[in-house]
Amino acid sequence: MRHLECFLAVGEERHFGRAAERLGMEQPPLSQRIRRLEKELGAELFDRGGGQVQLTPAGHILMREAPELLRAHQRMRTLVRRAAETDPANPPRPWSALY
């Protein structure tokens, strides 16, 4: 999920240096994360030519989908954490208030 957060920062800033600063990291590791994400997805997400960073068509799709993916991931983490904090003698049932 960190790769998606990095992607969103670069996509919003349209600049790797500013995105790295915003994320509190150095630019080379940020670029490496984006390259790994591109490799994993099998698509270039940014056009890095001409001194400006522009979204590719695949990048536009991910820019639209990534926020919802991050929200769903956060929701899952919250639900799992709540379930872990539940009294083991009284575990949540599938249709409990957790859902």
Side-chain angles (χ1 to χ4, degrees), residues 13-87:
E13 296 291 340
R14 302 285 205 258
H15 191 274
F16 278 84
R18 286 192 302 269
E21 186 175 320
R22 173 174 144 184
L23 294 166
M25 63 189 301
E26 297 295 321
Q27 185 174 339
L30 173 61
S31 295
Q32 291 168 3
R33 285 185 185 204
I34 297 298
R35 286 286 184 206
R36 281 194 299 270
L37 180 61
E38 289 175 325
K39 185 176 180 181
E40 180 182 324
L41 295 173
E44 286 195 16
L45 301 171
F46 296 105
D47 177 4
R48 297 160 175 88
Q52 274 192 327
V53 176
Q54 297 295 324
L55 289 166
T56 63
H60 280 285
I61 296 292
L62 189 58
M63 197 72 183
R64 189 173 58 229
E65 298 295 321
E68 180 59 32
L69 291 169
L70 290 171
R71 280 190 296 275
H73 181 257
Q74 185 57 46
R75 180 177 181 276
M76 179 220 31
R77 292 174 56 90
T78 299
L79 291 173
V80 168
R81 192 174 317 116
R82 284 183 192 164
E85 294 168 354
T86 302
D87 180 4

